[in-house]
Amino acid sequence: MSRGYSPAWRKFTIVILRPLLYALLKREWRGRDNVPREGGLIIAANHISESDPLALAHFVYESGRYPVYLAKSTLFEVRFLRNVLRGTGQIPVYRDSADAALALRDAETALLAGECLMFYPEGSCTRDPELWPMTGQTGVARMALTTGAKVVPVASWGAHELLPYKKGEQRGLAGTLKKGFHPFPRKTMRVIAGPPLDFSRFEGRPLTKATLREATDEIMRAIADLLGELRGQEPPGELYDHHKVLEERRGAERPAGEEAW
C-alpha cells in the first residue's frame, strides 16, 4: 500500500462510481484547469446537500486528482464501507473525542504527501434560507497556512434538487424543496473551480485568531462569488452566520430581565 491507501481500492471506486455518476447526473463544469495536477491541495467548497460530495468528487477526479475526504468516524464502523474508506485513504474525524486531533494530524500528513483533500469550511450543509454559503470555520485556513498547500475555491449547484437538506431553515428557497431523493428528471450538477487563492501575504504571520478569520473570510467570499456566477445572481454582501442567528434567537426567547451569562 502507498501512503494510507491501496491503488486497487481507488481503481475499484472509479470503475464503480464513475459510470454511475455519468448515468445519473448531467454536468456543467467550469474551471477544471484551475485544479493543480500535483502537490498537496485543498479543495474548499460550499455544502448544499448530503449528495454533493459525490458530484464534487466526480468533478475533481475528472480534473486529474483523486479526492480524499475527512469523513465521520461512524462511517468507518460500517462493515463494507469501512473497507472502502480505509482502502481509498479517506480520513476519519472523531468528533467530541480525545482522538479528534488525529484527523488534523492525518490531514497534514496527507497534504504533505501530495494528496488532494476535500473540505467544507462551513462545517455542515448551509442553513442560509437561500442556500448561499455561510461563514466558515477556521480549520481550512489553519491547514493551508500550516502546510503551505494550495487552496482552490469551488462552488457547486444542483445537488439540492437531487437530495434537499431538510434540517435547516424551512423558508426561502430551502423551504420550497421537497424532502426525499429525486433522481428524475436527471439533475444537472453545476460546478466551477476558481484559481488557487494567493495567501502569500500571510507568510510569516503568527496564526492568530484574526489572521485565521481573515484567511477564512477570503476563502468563503471566493466560494460565494463563484456560486453567484453559477446562479447568475449577486451573492449576499454579508454571509449567513448560523451561530449568530442561534444566539439572537436564544436572546429573543429569554424572559425579560434575565441576564445572559
Side-chain angles (χ1 to χ4, degrees):
M1 289 180 67
S2 302
R3 187 226 61 84
Y5 71 87
S6 161
W9 269 112
R10 288 194 171 182
K11 185 175 181 179
F12 171 78
T13 61
I14 293 166
V15 169
I16 297 299
L17 292 177
R18 190 165 177 250
L20 179 64
L21 290 170
Y22 268 118
L24 178 64
L25 305 169
K26 293 185 288 185
R27 292 154 302 285
E28 287 185 12
W29 290 345
R30 298 187 239 167
R32 281 189 288 169
D33 289 344
N34 287 323
V35 179
R37 298 304 192 269
E38 58 184 22
L41 177 64
I42 291 173
I43 299 292
N46 64 315
H47 200 6
I48 56 176
S49 164
E50 291 169 330
S51 67
D52 59 36
L54 280 178
L56 184 60
H58 192 193
F59 172 86
V60 170
Y61 175 75
E62 298 295 345
S63 300
R65 302 300 297 262
Y66 191 91
V68 174
Y69 281 91
L70 276 70
K72 294 179 181 179
S73 60
T74 52
L75 295 177
F76 288 76
E77 298 171 6
V78 181
R79 191 184 300 265
F80 177 72
L81 187 57
R82 174 181 61 222
N83 295 334
V84 174
L85 294 175
R86 292 198 180 281
T88 56
Q90 309 306 309
I91 300 171
V93 176
Y94 302 89
R95 295 182 178 178
D96 302 321
S97 163
D99 294 327
L102 294 178
L104 297 180
R105 182 203 66 186
D106 292 344
E108 284 191 22
T109 300
L111 287 172
L112 293 173
E115 294 280 19
C116 173
L117 265 58
M118 315 289 285
F119 283 93
Y120 290 114
E122 299 161 274
S124 67
C125 287
T126 183
R127 296 328 197 252
D128 183 293
E130 300 301 328
L131 303 185
W132 291 103
M134 302 187 290
T135 55
Q137 300 179 18
T138 58
V140 175
R142 180 182 294 277
M143 189 69 59
L145 298 179
T146 299
T147 64
K150 293 181 179 180
V151 178
V152 171
V154 174
S156 69
W157 191 244
H160 62 294
E161 297 176 344
L162 179 68
L163 182 64
Y165 183 75
K166 300 301 289 183
K167 296 179 183 178
E169 295 284 352
Q170 296 308 302
R171 54 192 176 92
L173 176 59
T176 66
L177 303 174
K178 295 182 179 180
K179 184 178 181 180
F181 181 57
H182 308 285
F184 303 109
R186 288 174 71 208
K187 305 300 185 294
T188 299
M189 296 296 117
R190 297 176 173 85
V191 186
I192 181 172
L197 298 175
D198 182 6
F199 283 163
S200 60
R201 71 181 186 281
F202 295 110
E203 292 179 5
R205 287 170 56 173
L207 299 184
T208 62
K209 184 177 180 180
T211 296
L212 294 174
R213 176 45 53 193
E214 182 181 346
T216 299
D217 289 346
E218 182 173 335
I219 293 170
M220 297 312 303
R221 176 48 54 188
I223 295 172
D225 289 345
L226 288 170
L227 184 58
E229 287 187 45
L230 288 182
R231 297 175 60 168
Q233 299 174 334
E234 188 70 23
E238 182 176 348
L239 299 184
Y240 186 89
D241 188 330
H242 186 50
H243 298 290
K244 182 179 178 180
V245 170
L246 291 178
E247 285 299 320
E248 290 175 348
R249 288 178 180 173
R250 292 190 188 103
E253 294 169 357
R254 191 176 295 118
E258 182 179 324
E259 293 289 341
W261 297 93

